[in-house]
Amino acid sequence: MLGGIKSLDRFVQRTLEHIIKDNADRPWYRTILAIFGERVESVGLFGVSINLRFTPAEMQEVTNAFPEALRTIQTKLEGNRPALFIVLDDIDDLAELPDFANWLKSTVDSIAIHRSPTKVTLLLVGLEETRRSLLALQPSLARVFQVVDIFPWTQEESEGFFTTYFDSVNGTLEPDALQFMADMTGGLPVVAHEIGDAVYRSTEEYPVVLSDAIGGITNAARILGHKMLQPQIVEALQSERYREILRILPTGPLTRRFRRSELIDRLPDESVRSVDAFLRRMRKLGAIAQDPERGRGAYVFTNPAYYMYFWQQSHSVRNGS
Protein backbone atom coordinates (compact mmCIF):
# COMPACT_ATOMS: atom_id res chain seq x y z
CA MET A 1 0.00 0.00 0.00
CA LEU A 2 1.74 3.15 -1.26
CA GLY A 3 -0.78 5.86 -0.41
CA GLY A 4 0.99 9.05 0.63
CA ILE A 5 4.37 7.94 -0.75
CA LYS A 6 5.68 10.88 -2.77
CA SER A 7 9.35 10.10 -3.32
CA LEU A 8 11.11 7.42 -5.32
CA ASP A 9 13.51 6.49 -2.51
CA ARG A 10 10.67 6.08 0.00
CA PHE A 11 8.78 3.91 -2.47
CA VAL A 12 11.75 1.55 -2.92
CA GLN A 13 12.36 1.43 0.83
CA ARG A 14 8.67 0.68 1.54
CA THR A 15 8.61 -2.09 -1.09
CA LEU A 16 11.69 -3.83 0.30
CA GLU A 17 10.39 -3.51 3.86
CA HIS A 18 7.17 -5.25 2.86
CA ILE A 19 9.00 -8.04 1.06
CA ILE A 20 10.78 -8.73 4.35
CA LYS A 21 7.67 -8.33 6.49
CA ASP A 22 5.44 -10.49 4.28
CA ASN A 23 7.83 -13.41 4.74
CA ALA A 24 8.05 -13.09 8.52
CA ASP A 25 6.18 -16.36 9.09
CA ARG A 26 8.17 -18.33 6.50
CA PRO A 27 11.03 -20.75 7.20
CA TRP A 28 13.33 -18.65 5.00
CA TYR A 29 12.73 -15.40 6.91
CA ARG A 30 16.24 -15.36 8.37
CA THR A 31 17.66 -15.81 4.88
CA ILE A 32 15.98 -12.63 3.71
CA LEU A 33 17.01 -10.73 6.84
CA ALA A 34 20.62 -11.69 6.20
CA ILE A 35 20.54 -9.94 2.81
CA PHE A 36 20.06 -6.56 4.51
CA GLY A 37 22.19 -7.26 7.56
CA GLU A 38 22.29 -4.62 10.26
CA ARG A 39 20.16 -2.25 8.21
CA VAL A 40 17.02 -4.06 9.41
CA GLU A 41 15.27 -2.72 12.46
CA SER A 42 12.46 -4.99 13.66
CA VAL A 43 9.78 -3.83 16.06
CA GLY A 44 7.26 -6.39 17.30
CA LEU A 45 4.86 -4.49 19.55
CA PHE A 46 1.84 -4.95 17.25
CA GLY A 47 2.98 -7.77 15.01
CA VAL A 48 6.13 -7.54 12.93
CA SER A 49 7.11 -4.04 11.83
CA ILE A 50 10.18 -3.65 9.67
CA ASN A 51 12.25 -0.52 9.11
CA LEU A 52 15.25 -0.39 6.80
CA ARG A 53 17.91 2.15 7.70
CA PHE A 54 20.02 3.42 4.83
CA THR A 55 22.34 6.38 4.55
CA PRO A 56 21.33 8.79 1.75
CA ALA A 57 24.14 7.42 -0.43
CA GLU A 58 23.08 3.82 0.23
CA MET A 59 19.44 4.67 -0.48
CA GLN A 60 20.37 6.17 -3.84
CA GLU A 61 22.38 3.05 -4.68
CA VAL A 62 19.55 0.70 -3.68
CA THR A 63 17.03 2.70 -5.70
CA ASN A 64 19.20 2.60 -8.81
CA ALA A 65 19.98 -1.08 -8.31
CA PHE A 66 16.44 -2.27 -7.51
CA PRO A 67 16.48 -5.05 -10.19
CA GLU A 68 19.69 -6.37 -8.68
CA ALA A 69 18.07 -6.36 -5.23
CA LEU A 70 15.20 -8.44 -6.60
CA ARG A 71 17.60 -10.86 -8.27
CA THR A 72 19.52 -11.24 -5.01
CA ILE A 73 16.34 -12.01 -3.08
CA GLN A 74 15.21 -14.46 -5.74
CA THR A 75 18.60 -16.22 -5.76
CA LYS A 76 18.64 -16.55 -1.98
CA LEU A 77 15.13 -18.03 -2.06
CA GLU A 78 15.90 -20.49 -4.83
CA GLY A 79 14.28 -23.81 -3.99
CA ASN A 80 11.73 -22.11 -1.73
CA ARG A 81 10.10 -19.54 -3.98
CA PRO A 82 10.17 -19.85 -7.79
CA ALA A 83 9.29 -16.19 -8.45
CA LEU A 84 8.30 -12.84 -6.95
CA PHE A 85 4.87 -11.25 -7.40
CA ILE A 86 4.82 -7.64 -6.19
CA VAL A 87 1.56 -5.66 -6.08
CA LEU A 88 2.02 -1.88 -6.01
CA ASP A 89 -1.28 -0.46 -4.82
CA ASP A 90 -2.47 3.14 -4.44
CA ILE A 91 0.19 4.69 -6.67
CA ASP A 92 -1.71 7.90 -7.51
CA ASP A 93 0.88 10.22 -5.93
CA LEU A 94 3.80 8.32 -7.45
CA ALA A 95 2.22 8.44 -10.92
CA GLU A 96 2.69 12.22 -10.91
CA LEU A 97 6.48 11.95 -10.43
CA PRO A 98 8.69 11.99 -13.55
CA ASP A 99 11.37 10.21 -11.50
CA PHE A 100 9.03 7.29 -10.83
CA ALA A 101 7.92 6.97 -14.46
CA ASN A 102 11.52 7.00 -15.71
CA TRP A 103 12.66 4.64 -12.95
CA LEU A 104 9.89 2.19 -13.82
CA LYS A 105 10.85 2.16 -17.50
CA SER A 106 14.53 1.72 -16.63
CA THR A 107 13.77 -1.08 -14.17
CA VAL A 108 11.67 -3.02 -16.67
CA ASP A 109 14.35 -2.65 -19.36
CA SER A 110 17.08 -3.74 -16.96
CA ILE A 111 15.15 -6.88 -16.03
CA ALA A 112 14.38 -7.65 -19.66
CA ILE A 113 17.94 -7.46 -21.01
CA HIS A 114 19.82 -9.05 -18.10
CA ARG A 115 21.63 -12.26 -19.02
CA SER A 116 20.10 -14.09 -16.07
CA PRO A 117 16.30 -14.32 -15.95
CA THR A 118 14.59 -12.39 -13.18
CA LYS A 119 11.29 -14.07 -12.41
CA VAL A 120 9.25 -11.15 -11.14
CA THR A 121 5.86 -9.68 -11.93
CA LEU A 122 5.07 -6.09 -10.97
CA LEU A 123 1.35 -5.38 -10.76
CA LEU A 124 0.53 -1.66 -10.59
CA VAL A 125 -2.97 -1.02 -9.31
CA GLY A 126 -4.70 2.25 -10.15
CA LEU A 127 -7.36 4.03 -12.12
CA GLU A 128 -7.06 4.60 -15.86
CA GLU A 129 -6.15 8.23 -15.12
CA THR A 130 -3.13 6.94 -13.20
CA ARG A 131 -1.90 4.99 -16.21
CA ARG A 132 -2.43 8.00 -18.48
CA SER A 133 -0.42 10.14 -16.06
CA LEU A 134 2.51 7.72 -16.24
CA LEU A 135 2.33 7.56 -20.04
CA ALA A 136 2.34 11.36 -20.27
CA LEU A 137 5.55 11.43 -18.24
CA GLN A 138 7.19 8.46 -19.98
CA PRO A 139 5.49 7.52 -23.29
CA SER A 140 7.69 4.42 -23.72
CA LEU A 141 5.81 2.77 -20.87
CA ALA A 142 2.94 2.22 -23.33
CA ARG A 143 4.70 -0.87 -24.68
CA VAL A 144 5.50 -2.12 -21.17
CA PHE A 145 2.04 -2.30 -19.62
CA GLN A 146 -0.19 -5.30 -20.13
CA VAL A 147 -3.51 -3.79 -19.11
CA VAL A 148 -5.89 -5.95 -17.09
CA ASP A 149 -9.28 -4.31 -16.59
CA ILE A 150 -10.90 -4.89 -13.21
CA PHE A 151 -14.51 -4.07 -13.91
CA PRO A 152 -16.79 -2.35 -11.39
CA TRP A 153 -19.36 -4.42 -9.56
CA THR A 154 -22.66 -4.88 -11.32
CA GLN A 155 -25.85 -3.63 -9.69
CA GLU A 156 -26.57 -7.20 -8.56
CA GLU A 157 -23.11 -7.59 -7.04
CA SER A 158 -23.41 -4.27 -5.21
CA GLU A 159 -26.82 -5.22 -3.83
CA GLY A 160 -25.45 -8.63 -2.86
CA PHE A 161 -22.64 -6.96 -0.89
CA PHE A 162 -25.08 -4.85 1.15
CA THR A 163 -27.44 -7.76 1.70
CA THR A 164 -24.58 -9.88 3.04
CA TYR A 165 -23.23 -6.96 5.10
CA PHE A 166 -26.51 -6.39 6.92
CA ASP A 167 -27.28 -10.11 7.21
CA SER A 168 -24.09 -10.35 9.27
CA VAL A 169 -25.56 -7.95 11.86
CA ASN A 170 -29.07 -9.44 11.64
CA GLY A 171 -30.30 -6.40 9.75
CA THR A 172 -32.59 -6.03 6.74
CA LEU A 173 -33.02 -3.39 4.04
CA GLU A 174 -36.09 -2.08 2.28
CA PRO A 175 -35.83 -2.62 -1.51
CA ASP A 176 -35.68 1.11 -2.35
CA ALA A 177 -32.95 1.69 0.26
CA LEU A 178 -30.94 -1.26 -1.06
CA GLN A 179 -31.25 -0.06 -4.67
CA PHE A 180 -30.26 3.49 -3.76
CA MET A 181 -27.18 2.34 -1.82
CA ALA A 182 -26.10 0.07 -4.69
CA ASP A 183 -26.62 2.87 -7.23
CA MET A 184 -24.45 5.26 -5.25
CA THR A 185 -21.43 2.93 -5.07
CA GLY A 186 -20.68 3.32 -8.77
CA GLY A 187 -19.52 -0.30 -8.60
CA LEU A 188 -16.48 0.57 -6.46
CA PRO A 189 -15.88 -1.70 -3.43
CA VAL A 190 -14.11 1.05 -1.45
CA VAL A 191 -17.20 3.25 -1.80
CA ALA A 192 -19.51 0.36 -0.92
CA HIS A 193 -17.63 -0.32 2.32
CA GLU A 194 -17.88 3.32 3.42
CA ILE A 195 -21.59 3.43 2.57
CA GLY A 196 -22.27 0.19 4.44
CA ASP A 197 -20.45 1.41 7.55
CA ALA A 198 -22.11 4.82 7.48
CA VAL A 199 -25.64 3.50 6.96
CA TYR A 200 -25.12 0.90 9.70
CA ARG A 201 -24.01 3.60 12.16
CA SER A 202 -26.91 5.91 11.32
CA THR A 203 -29.68 3.28 11.47
CA GLU A 204 -31.43 2.94 14.81
CA GLU A 205 -33.84 0.16 13.89
CA TYR A 206 -34.46 -2.28 11.04
CA PRO A 207 -35.34 -2.53 8.29
CA VAL A 208 -33.13 0.17 6.76
CA VAL A 209 -35.46 2.56 4.93
CA LEU A 210 -34.63 5.10 2.22
CA SER A 211 -34.26 7.99 4.67
CA ASP A 212 -31.72 5.94 6.66
CA ALA A 213 -29.81 5.25 3.45
CA ILE A 214 -29.78 8.92 2.43
CA GLY A 215 -28.58 10.01 5.87
CA GLY A 216 -25.85 7.40 5.95
CA ILE A 217 -24.69 8.14 2.41
CA THR A 218 -24.49 11.87 3.21
CA ASN A 219 -22.07 11.00 6.03
CA ALA A 220 -20.17 8.52 3.85
CA ALA A 221 -19.76 11.18 1.15
CA ARG A 222 -18.12 13.53 3.61
CA ILE A 223 -15.71 10.81 4.77
CA LEU A 224 -14.89 9.70 1.22
CA GLY A 225 -14.35 13.29 0.17
CA HIS A 226 -11.72 13.88 2.80
CA LYS A 227 -10.10 10.49 2.16
CA MET A 228 -10.07 10.46 -1.63
CA LEU A 229 -10.33 14.04 -2.88
CA GLN A 230 -7.33 16.24 -3.26
CA PRO A 231 -7.14 18.84 -0.47
CA GLN A 232 -7.31 21.53 -3.18
CA ILE A 233 -10.78 20.32 -4.19
CA VAL A 234 -12.07 20.29 -0.62
CA GLU A 235 -10.61 23.77 -0.06
CA ALA A 236 -12.13 25.12 -3.29
CA LEU A 237 -15.59 23.87 -2.37
CA GLN A 238 -15.46 25.86 0.86
CA SER A 239 -14.98 29.08 -1.10
CA GLU A 240 -17.88 31.52 -1.03
CA ARG A 241 -17.16 32.13 -4.68
CA TYR A 242 -18.29 28.60 -5.50
CA ARG A 243 -20.96 28.07 -2.85
CA GLU A 244 -23.60 29.68 -5.05
CA ILE A 245 -22.72 27.25 -7.83
CA LEU A 246 -23.01 24.32 -5.45
CA ARG A 247 -26.43 25.58 -4.44
CA ILE A 248 -27.77 25.08 -7.96
CA LEU A 249 -25.47 22.29 -9.16
CA PRO A 250 -27.89 19.66 -10.55
CA THR A 251 -26.63 16.73 -8.52
CA GLY A 252 -29.72 14.74 -7.69
CA PRO A 253 -29.11 11.35 -6.08
CA LEU A 254 -28.19 9.70 -9.38
CA THR A 255 -27.31 12.70 -11.59
CA ARG A 256 -23.61 12.27 -12.30
CA ARG A 257 -23.72 14.39 -15.46
CA PHE A 258 -24.56 18.03 -16.00
CA ARG A 259 -24.24 20.80 -18.58
CA ARG A 260 -22.61 24.20 -18.33
CA SER A 261 -25.79 25.73 -19.75
CA GLU A 262 -27.78 24.32 -16.82
CA LEU A 263 -25.59 26.26 -14.41
CA ILE A 264 -25.67 29.45 -16.47
CA ASP A 265 -29.47 29.42 -16.73
CA ARG A 266 -29.97 29.10 -12.99
CA LEU A 267 -27.37 31.59 -11.73
CA PRO A 268 -27.84 35.34 -11.23
CA ASP A 269 -25.91 37.46 -13.74
CA GLU A 270 -23.25 38.53 -11.24
CA SER A 271 -22.31 34.89 -10.55
CA VAL A 272 -22.14 33.68 -14.16
CA ARG A 273 -18.48 34.66 -14.50
CA SER A 274 -17.60 32.19 -11.74
CA VAL A 275 -18.96 29.20 -13.66
CA ASP A 276 -16.11 28.89 -16.14
CA ALA A 277 -13.52 29.41 -13.39
CA PHE A 278 -15.25 26.70 -11.35
CA LEU A 279 -15.31 24.26 -14.28
CA ARG A 280 -11.68 24.95 -15.20
CA ARG A 281 -10.57 24.46 -11.59
CA MET A 282 -12.47 21.20 -11.16
CA ARG A 283 -11.22 19.86 -14.51
CA LYS A 284 -7.62 20.77 -13.68
CA LEU A 285 -7.93 18.99 -10.33
CA GLY A 286 -9.47 15.92 -12.01
CA ALA A 287 -12.85 16.03 -10.27
CA ILE A 288 -14.80 16.39 -13.52
CA ALA A 289 -14.12 15.81 -17.21
CA GLN A 290 -15.86 16.57 -20.45
CA ASP A 291 -18.63 14.04 -21.06
CA PRO A 292 -17.82 12.21 -24.32
CA GLU A 293 -21.37 10.87 -24.57
CA ARG A 294 -23.03 14.29 -24.59
CA GLY A 295 -20.50 16.51 -26.36
CA ARG A 296 -19.34 20.08 -25.88
CA GLY A 297 -20.41 21.85 -22.70
CA ALA A 298 -21.31 18.60 -20.92
CA TYR A 299 -19.44 17.27 -17.89
CA VAL A 300 -19.25 14.07 -15.86
CA PHE A 301 -17.76 13.38 -12.46
CA THR A 302 -14.65 11.21 -12.88
CA ASN A 303 -15.16 9.14 -9.75
CA PRO A 304 -18.27 8.13 -7.75
CA ALA A 305 -16.56 9.33 -4.58
CA TYR A 306 -16.08 12.78 -6.13
CA TYR A 307 -19.70 12.89 -7.22
CA MET A 308 -20.90 11.84 -3.77
CA TYR A 309 -18.90 14.59 -2.10
CA PHE A 310 -20.23 17.25 -4.47
CA TRP A 311 -23.73 15.93 -3.86
CA GLN A 312 -23.23 16.10 -0.11
CA GLN A 313 -21.79 19.62 -0.30
CA SER A 314 -24.62 20.77 -2.56
CA HIS A 315 -27.15 19.25 -0.14
CA SER A 316 -25.48 21.02 2.81
CA VAL A 317 -25.48 24.41 1.07
CA ARG A 318 -29.15 24.14 0.16
CA ASN A 319 -29.94 23.35 3.78
CA GLY A 320 -27.84 26.21 5.07
CA SER A 321 -25.23 24.07 6.82
Side-chain angles (χ1 to χ4, degrees):
M1 301 296 295
L2 298 168
I5 301 295
K6 299 182 179 180
S7 78
L8 184 56
D9 287 350
R10 185 68 188 102
F11 152 70
V12 170
Q13 182 178 358
R14 170 72 68 85
T15 302
L16 293 175
E17 286 172 350
H18 274 267
I19 289 176
I20 299 171
K21 179 181 176 180
D22 290 347
N23 285 278
D25 59 345
R26 305 294 184 175
W28 52 82
Y29 179 56
R30 293 294 173 187
T31 301
I32 293 182
L33 285 180
I35 297 172
F36 298 94
E38 296 180 355
R39 296 176 183 84
V40 178
E41 181 181 79
S42 178
V43 181
L45 184 59
F46 300 104
V48 177
S49 178
I50 298 294
N51 296 312
L52 285 174
R53 295 168 298 178
F54 295 108
T55 66
E58 288 175 334
M59 192 68 251
Q60 183 65 54
E61 181 180 353
V62 171
T63 299
N64 293 337
F66 188 71
E68 285 74 16
L70 296 182
R71 275 190 285 272
T72 298
I73 293 171
Q74 184 183 315
T75 299
K76 294 293 185 180
L77 295 182
E78 193 170 3
N80 292 303
R81 278 287 186 240
L84 296 174
F85 183 74
I86 302 174
V87 182
L88 307 178
D89 195 12
D90 201 2
I91 62 169
D92 294 0
D93 290 327
L94 287 168
E96 298 177 357
L97 300 178
D99 285 351
F100 177 73
N102 293 327
W103 173 90
L104 184 61
K105 174 63 167 54
S106 176
T107 296
V108 172
D109 286 347
S110 175
I111 290 173
I113 66 175
H114 198 272
R115 63 182 182 275
S116 300
T118 304
K119 299 176 183 179
V120 59
T121 293
L122 294 177
L123 175 61
L124 281 68
V125 182
L127 298 173
E128 174 60 20
E129 301 93 271
T130 303
R131 187 176 75 92
R132 287 200 295 265
S133 176
L134 285 170
L135 294 184
L137 295 171
Q138 175 49 269
S140 296
L141 284 172
R143 64 177 176 80
V144 169
F145 291 134
Q146 297 181 35
V147 179
V148 178
D149 290 322
I150 303 176
F151 295 102
W153 284 348
T154 64
Q155 181 77 5
E156 291 74 20
E157 288 171 327
S158 295
E159 291 183 2
F161 167 80
F162 289 120
T163 299
T164 301
Y165 181 108
F166 282 91
D167 279 347
S168 69
V169 293
N170 297 317
T172 57
L173 303 103
E174 288 289 330
D176 56 351
L178 174 60
Q179 180 180 347
F180 180 60
M181 291 164 63
D183 286 339
M184 291 297 286
T185 67
L188 296 184
V190 65
V191 175
H193 280 276
E194 288 292 353
I195 289 176
D197 289 345
V199 172
Y200 169 73
R201 289 194 298 268
S202 64
T203 300
E204 296 182 357
E205 59 182 9
Y206 296 112
V208 175
V209 298
L210 183 58
S211 59
D212 296 325
I214 292 174
I217 287 172
T218 301
N219 293 330
R222 186 181 301 109
I223 295 169
L224 282 164
H226 286 284
K227 281 186 177 181
M228 299 182 67
L229 267 70
Q230 297 183 41
Q232 299 96 315
I233 297 177
V234 177
E235 181 181 355
L237 296 184
Q238 305 306 312
S239 166
E240 285 301 322
R241 184 184 181 191
Y242 296 146
R243 301 296 276 181
E244 185 65 26
I245 297 174
L246 284 172
R247 192 183 306 279
I248 56 90
L249 190 65
T251 52
L254 300 176
T255 308
R256 294 188 174 94
R257 292 174 161 83
F258 64 94
R259 289 188 176 276
R260 176 183 178 274
S261 59
E262 294 171 338
L263 301 182
I264 297 292
D265 290 344
R266 300 175 64 189
L267 278 173
D269 292 341
E270 62 269 19
S271 299
V272 167
R273 287 183 301 174
S274 297
V275 170
D276 288 330
F278 175 82
L279 295 175
R280 282 195 302 270
R281 182 79 182 277
M282 293 303 113
R283 285 184 64 187
K284 184 177 181 181
L285 293 173
I288 62 174
Q290 285 191 319
D291 186 351
E293 296 180 10
R294 302 174 69 191
R296 186 176 177 85
Y299 296 89
V300 61
F301 290 97
T302 58
N303 185 308
Y306 292 179
Y307 159 72
M308 286 177 62
Y309 188 72
F310 276 72
W311 172 70
Q312 182 270 330
Q313 287 290 301
S314 178
H315 178 78
S316 296
V317 170
R318 291 189 187 110
N319 287 279
S321 58

